[in-house]
Amino acid sequence: MFFKIAVRNIRAYKKRSIITVILLACTTALLVFATAYMDGSHERMIRSSVEIYPGYVQITHRDFRDSPSLENLIFDAGQVTAALADLPGIAVLTPRYESFVLFAAGNKAVGGMLTGIDPAKEGRVSRLWESRKQGEYLEETDSALVYMGSELARRLKVGVNDEVAFVGTGADYSFSADTLRVKGIFRTGLFDFDNRAAFVAKSYLDRVMGAENYATHFIVLPARPEEAAELAAAIGERLGPEYEAASWRQTMAGLVQAMRVDTIFGYITLGIIFIVIFFVVMIYTMLAVSARLREIGILRAVGTEPGQVWRMLVMESVLLALVSVVAGGLIGGSLAYYFKLHPIVFSGFEEQFKQYGLAMTDMPTAFAPLVIVRDMALMFVLSVAATLYPIHKVNGYRPIEAMHHV
Amino acid sequence: MFRITCRIAWASLARRGSRSLLVVLMIAMSLWGLLFLEGIYDGMTEQMISNAIRSDSGQISLFAAGYRQDPDLDRLISQTEEVGRLLDNDRRVRSHVQRLRQDGLAATAHYARSVTVFGVDLGAERAHGRLDRYLIAGAYDFGDRKKGVLLGARLADKLKVKIGGKLIVSAQNSAQEVAGVALTITGIVRANNMALDEAAVFIDMDKARELFMTPTGVSQICVILQDEQDIAALRQELQQRFPDLEVLRWDEIYPALLQGRVMMKGFNLVMSLLIFGVAGLGIFGVMVVSVLERLREFGIMLAIGTSFSRVRQIIFTESFILGATGYLAGSLLGGATLVYFYHHGLDLTVFSQGLQEFGMDAITYAVIRPQYFLTAFGAVMLATLVSVLIPLRLLKKSNPIEAINKV
């Protein structure tokens, strides 16, 4: 019965109902879309940062992250590879040997990072292969051939097939130097990385650095990237205390925290909009129920209990809120789905993205039905809560008072 | 007569006290939130810009032609004394410093990183950009023998070095040979300028001249002005006076920060439109109902000879009182909040690692600009006045006799 009366009342006060529904639906759509945008852009930023080079899971000697010295290398890379060969969840496992050297070409000398990689596997765990701009990517058998960042090549004034010398410290602290020929040049879009990084085949660097079977770290591409933390734990357990396996959440803790701060500020901003809307809904409900004060007085005078009036009015606000959040959820969800397929492109803001270490300007939204339902539920509770005070207030009038209210 | 109008308007609002209070609260809360967001977000952006200006670019930077495209010791500013004299004698200039700069490699006994070596005069840097305030460990000093070095915080973290530790800095000198020097780490600085924190090695200017074999010339001259308004004029004058140098504004060196400022302005505008648009809808609802439920009252007033313009004045005054009271309450609340955060800052130290990732300070000090309050006043007044236009139209269309007879 309450349902029927509530529906009739909603239809009787059409204008108020429509404005309330539009307002709440727009707010719900805004919340759903803003959440999808925040989640999507954060996921995109993290994926971009992780996949360019750092990787989802890193395996190091247990002391390497705190003290990255030549004493804390992985001294038996083959044993690590063998130990993890049958561990489920690993799509690719590849070793790297990272060293910092001084590059010299012509009359230019520049400091940079020279890393030995397994070219085939590296192409799957990072974006090196797909970032090639000139020349060729590396092969496992390449000797004294280097694949170099575009900015580093520019600073050294070298192109494909030019020669570059390097001098660095070998794994045994000896002096290591050689002349390399530029095989290819890459550009990830990350200025700092392109400005400092160069790669050679690991088999070659191992010989030059006296680091046969050594690695500074391994990179693991999980079969399911979202389960990187669980995989890191399983790898740590398999390898024992001599090694440390850390997921990107640990190796890029700063970025993870930055995303959290961004989310918090995003919700603060939305919260302020919600406060205003909360008040507007409260005002509209107040206006609507005040206009019906005489009607409510008559209902009370003919024997309707205050509880029944309360239920009738709450039922109205529940129905309005329900229609609104469903409509808003559908609108916001559709937008989230659309922009997941067709990401928003911030074409004028490349510099700002680069400054933050992000080599992209397109931001897809996230489409997560459970998150959408959560946001809809939140808006539903807020919408109904906003109507409780006005309902409580009109229900507090005595029948005679209410009937004579002007 | 105006007094009577105000009294009638006030009486009408007081009669619907809860409703009026809700509208005032709504305006006040929206204004408070908006002022808080504007002040804090602008504070974040301006602190990042200030850090970049103080620690690196100044408001104007001078480089030798072609240096920015190809940083090299062959491309140094040779007329340092002439530029220095000119800047010393210009009243618009607050301070200026000279830096010598070269890319190199910093190595500990165990590890190495590519770095940018800056030859600086610590006294001048202190007076210029207060570099000493960025010190987070050790001393702001290169020691008696000038063999000390200040490191960027992230670089120190990556090299895993501490105060007192040894560092070998190697770089190419002007004779195209690789030269090295052993230094002792005397201090660690965090400027929240990502490029510096990640790779900067500050050494004494004389030591840098010795290392790079450059007895004269500098890579960069940075200038900070007394008044930001003079940047364009001084830049133009410097460029005309020294046509063979590149004279750049801070935003040409850090375009990302300018983009950030533009983005923030756009964001604030969208937020203002959204918040005051919704708040306007709330005021509109109240005013429509307020007029419609008093049609009889207005009908009687019109019937006994009150002019429509007087009735209109009453309605406008009601709306104005609501808007002005909400604005005053919101401005006081928002202003007080901003003053608090202007002095004490919003402490986000718990997220410092994340904020540093984006080159932001852990404590954000709010910015307070008169335009926040002026824009908000305009927006509130516009929202309150526009929201009564439709109710007035409804009133004008209605028939007073019908309204009087309506039960």
Side-chain angles (χ1 to χ4, degrees):
Chain A
M1 185 183 71
F2 287 116
F3 178 78
K4 272 188 182 173
I5 296 172
V7 172
R8 275 187 199 157
N9 284 334
I10 288 170
R11 291 170 69 177
Y13 299 95
K14 212 177 276 172
K15 279 185 188 166
R16 169 247 169 176
S17 304
I18 289 172
I19 291 178
T20 308
V21 167
I22 290 175
L23 207 59
L24 289 177
C26 289
T27 315
T28 310
L30 179 69
L31 176 65
V32 167
F33 182 72
T35 307
Y37 173 74
M38 280 194 290
D39 291 349
S41 58
H42 291 169
E43 194 188 321
R44 175 85 172 93
M45 286 179 196
I46 286 168
R47 281 183 86 93
S48 165
S49 301
V50 167
E51 289 175 0
I52 281 181
Y53 183 68
Y56 283 97
V57 178
Q58 273 187 24
I59 304 167
T60 56
H61 181 277
R62 64 166 184 258
D63 296 323
F64 187 80
R65 289 185 67 208
D66 290 328
S67 176
S69 71
L70 294 173
E71 278 97 47
N72 294 327
L73 300 175
I74 295 171
F75 293 109
D76 193 351
Q79 189 246 326
V80 172
T81 309
L84 298 177
D86 60 343
L87 189 74
I90 295 178
V92 182
L93 172 75
T94 183
R96 287 178 185 160
Y97 186 92
E98 238 174 42
S99 64
F100 289 85
V101 303
L102 205 60
F103 292 105
N107 58 3
K108 301 284 287 183
V110 173
M113 179 180 81
L114 182 66
T115 305
I117 53 170
D118 177 332
K121 287 181 178 171
E122 187 67 37
R124 293 180 62 196
V125 300
S126 70
R127 300 230 178 117
L128 285 181
W129 175 78
E130 62 198 75
S131 302
R132 180 175 60 88
K133 286 291 154 203
Q134 288 174 44
E136 297 298 323
Y137 183 62
L138 295 171
E139 287 169 30
E140 180 55 35
T141 51
D142 284 345
S143 181
L145 293 177
V146 64
Y147 186 59
M148 183 173 274
S150 55
E151 286 301 312
L152 182 60
R154 188 185 64 78
R155 284 160 74 208
L156 288 166
K157 293 183 181 169
V158 293
V160 174
N161 284 327
D162 287 344
E163 285 191 342
V164 179
F166 77 90
V167 53
T169 309
D172 54 357
Y173 293 103
S174 64
F175 198 64
S176 291
D178 201 0
T179 301
L180 306 167
R181 186 173 294 281
V182 179
K183 183 174 185 186
I185 291 173
F186 64 84
R187 184 156 60 85
T188 61
L190 263 189
F191 181 83
D192 195 49
F193 186 68
D194 297 342
N195 196 28
R196 293 173 192 274
F199 296 87
V200 291
K202 188 170 181 296
S203 52
Y204 161 74
L205 195 68
D206 284 357
R207 285 198 305 276
V208 177
M209 292 282 181
E212 301 275 2
N213 201 28
Y214 291 1
T216 49
H217 60 276
F218 274 80
I219 293 295
V220 179
L221 174 68
R224 294 169 63 86
E226 60 277 14
E227 289 171 5
E230 291 81 354
L231 182 62
I235 291 170
E237 204 171 307
R238 172 72 65 96
L239 292 176
E242 199 182 330
Y243 299 95
E244 183 184 5
S247 77
W248 60 272
R249 286 190 176 275
Q250 289 163 277
T251 57
M252 305 188 75
L255 186 67
V256 172
Q257 208 180 62
M259 298 298 113
R260 200 173 299 152
V261 177
D262 191 55
T263 304
I264 289 170
F265 274 100
Y267 280 122
I268 289 175
T269 308
L270 285 174
I272 288 166
I273 298 173
F274 290 166
I275 288 173
V276 185
I277 288 166
F278 185 83
F279 273 106
V280 173
V281 172
M282 197 185 270
I283 288 168
Y284 273 68
T285 311
M286 170 92 74
L287 295 174
V289 291
S290 298
R292 288 160 59 193
L293 207 50
R294 282 185 77 189
E295 171 197 325
I296 291 165
I298 292 166
L299 276 175
R300 293 280 306 282
V302 298
T304 314
E305 292 292 320
Q308 288 175 312
V309 174
W310 200 87
R311 264 177 277 167
M312 177 188 80
L313 294 175
V314 170
M315 178 61 83
E316 282 178 36
S317 74
V318 164
L319 286 177
L320 281 176
L322 208 58
V323 172
S324 310
V325 297
V326 169
L330 286 174
I331 296 168
S334 308
L335 287 172
Y337 188 69
Y338 177 82
F339 286 109
K340 180 188 166 76
L341 300 178
H342 307 93
I344 302 164
V345 180
F346 293 88
S347 50
F349 292 90
E350 291 89 350
E351 285 300 327
Q352 199 176 19
F353 281 75
K354 274 185 201 166
Q355 158 134 359
Y356 295 148
L358 306 169
M360 77 307 184
T361 51
D362 58 319
M363 293 286 181
T365 49
F367 181 75
L370 274 179
V371 177
I372 294 174
V373 170
R374 181 202 68 188
D375 289 346
M376 286 165 66
L378 178 73
M379 275 310 298
F380 176 77
V381 171
L382 270 178
S383 317
V384 175
T387 62
L388 294 182
Y389 168 69
I391 292 172
H392 175 74
K393 194 167 186 296
V394 290
N395 220 14
Y397 282 98
R398 282 182 297 147
I400 302 294
E401 250 183 331
M403 278 193 293
H404 288 118
H405 190 82
V406 183
Chain B
M1 195 54 89
F2 178 67
R3 227 174 132 191
I4 293 174
T5 306
C6 288
R7 285 178 70 177
I8 294 173
W10 179 256
S12 301
L13 291 173
R15 198 167 53 182
R16 307 276 186 248
S18 312
R19 190 194 293 175
S20 305
L21 188 68
L22 276 181
V23 175
V24 168
L25 269 177
M26 177 189 69
I27 297 172
M29 293 304 286
S30 39
L31 192 54
W32 169 75
L34 192 66
L35 287 173
F36 170 75
L37 283 185
E38 282 184 325
I40 290 293
Y41 285 171
D42 279 349
M44 282 179 177
T45 313
E46 294 308 316
Q47 270 172 243
M48 287 168 80
I49 291 172
S50 166
N51 285 337
I53 287 173
R54 282 171 55 197
S55 63
D56 183 24
S57 66
Q59 284 162 324
I60 295 175
S61 263
L62 293 91
F63 301 94
Y67 178 84
R68 294 253 303 149
Q69 284 69 42
D70 186 13
D72 198 293
L73 292 174
D74 291 341
R75 293 182 189 80
L76 296 181
I77 302 172
S78 54
Q79 54 274 60
T80 50
E81 282 187 17
E82 198 186 340
V83 177
R85 222 175 11 254
L86 185 89
L87 294 172
D88 282 338
N89 294 329
D90 194 317
R91 284 172 178 274
R92 291 169 297 179
V93 175
R94 202 188 77 197
S95 63
H96 61 96
V97 288
Q98 303 185 345
R99 296 185 190 130
L100 193 57
R101 173 179 174 158
Q102 176 71 319
D103 288 332
L105 197 71
T108 64
H110 309 288
Y111 205 55
R113 298 285 300 188
S114 50
V115 296
T116 306
V117 185
F118 290 89
V120 295
D121 174 343
L122 283 186
E125 292 286 349
R126 188 204 305 264
H128 175 74
R130 288 168 289 159
L131 188 63
D132 54 315
R133 301 252 182 115
Y134 292 126
L135 193 76
I136 56 165
Y140 185 73
D141 190 10
F142 290 139
D144 295 338
R145 294 168 59 205
K146 305 290 180 198
K147 294 200 83 172
V149 58
L150 302 184
L151 290 189
R154 284 167 74 103
L155 175 64
D157 184 50
K158 283 185 174 160
L159 286 169
K160 303 291 174 196
V161 289
K162 294 197 174 96
I163 302 299
K166 294 283 176 205
L167 195 73
I168 309 289
V169 175
S170 336
Q172 191 179 32
N173 62 22
S174 60
Q176 269 88 50
E177 287 167 357
V178 175
V181 61
L183 301 163
T184 305
I185 298 158
T186 50
I188 294 171
V189 290
R190 176 175 291 129
N192 283 330
N193 175 333
M194 283 185 283
L196 291 190
D197 290 348
E198 190 84 37
V201 170
F202 295 100
I203 63 172
D204 179 65
M205 178 64 99
D206 293 334
K207 186 62 73 185
R209 291 204 180 285
E210 201 181 303
L211 177 67
F212 304 148
M213 288 176 67
T214 49
T216 58
V218 293
S219 315
Q220 181 184 12
I221 297 175
C222 317
V223 187
I224 293 181
L225 282 73
Q226 305 280 7
D227 187 349
E228 202 179 348
Q229 307 290 328
D230 295 325
I231 294 177
L234 182 64
R235 182 207 175 192
Q236 199 178 0
E237 285 169 36
L238 286 170
Q239 190 65 80
Q240 279 168 357
R241 181 77 186 265
F242 303 103
D244 56 331
L245 298 184
E246 258 186 278
V247 186
L248 300 173
R249 292 189 314 266
W250 66 266
D251 53 299
E252 291 170 307
I253 299 171
Y254 287 97
L257 292 178
L258 183 70
Q259 281 183 355
R261 193 186 253 182
V262 171
M263 244 177 156
M264 203 47 77
K265 274 189 183 163
F267 173 79
N268 285 342
L269 182 71
V270 170
M271 278 295 290
S272 301
L273 286 174
L274 203 62
I275 287 179
F276 287 116
V278 176
L281 205 61
I283 305 166
F284 165 76
V286 168
M287 292 314 293
V288 167
V289 173
S290 173
V291 168
L292 292 183
E293 71 186 4
R294 285 152 64 201
L295 272 182
R296 239 185 127 199
E297 176 188 323
F298 290 130
I300 292 168
M301 285 175 77
L302 292 169
I304 60 171
T306 310
S307 65
F308 184 78
S309 65
R310 171 56 42 80
V311 172
R312 189 169 52 203
Q313 269 178 26
I314 294 169
I315 295 170
F316 266 125
T317 309
E318 276 181 38
S319 173
F320 177 79
I321 291 173
L322 281 178
T325 314
Y327 171 79
L328 278 177
S331 295
L332 283 175
L333 200 61
T337 309
L338 286 187
V339 168
Y340 177 82
F341 286 117
Y342 175 81
H343 289 293
H344 301 281
L346 177 64
D347 191 347
L348 295 170
T349 312
V350 67
F351 298 114
S352 56
Q353 200 184 351
L355 292 165
Q356 281 156 23
E357 195 74 23
F358 281 176
M360 293 159 91
D361 293 342
I363 299 177
T364 298
Y365 293 91
V367 167
I368 307 175
R369 291 183 173 140
Q371 77 203 49
Y372 296 162
F373 298 89
L374 290 174
T375 314
F377 182 73
V380 170
M381 286 302 114
L382 194 70
T384 51
L385 297 181
V386 166
S387 64
V388 297
L389 293 180
I390 293 178
L392 276 173
R393 202 155 161 250
L394 291 173
L395 180 62
K396 192 152 195 185
K397 275 185 176 174
S398 67
N399 185 334
I401 305 301
E402 267 179 32
I404 294 169
N405 290 328
K406 207 173 182 180
V407 182

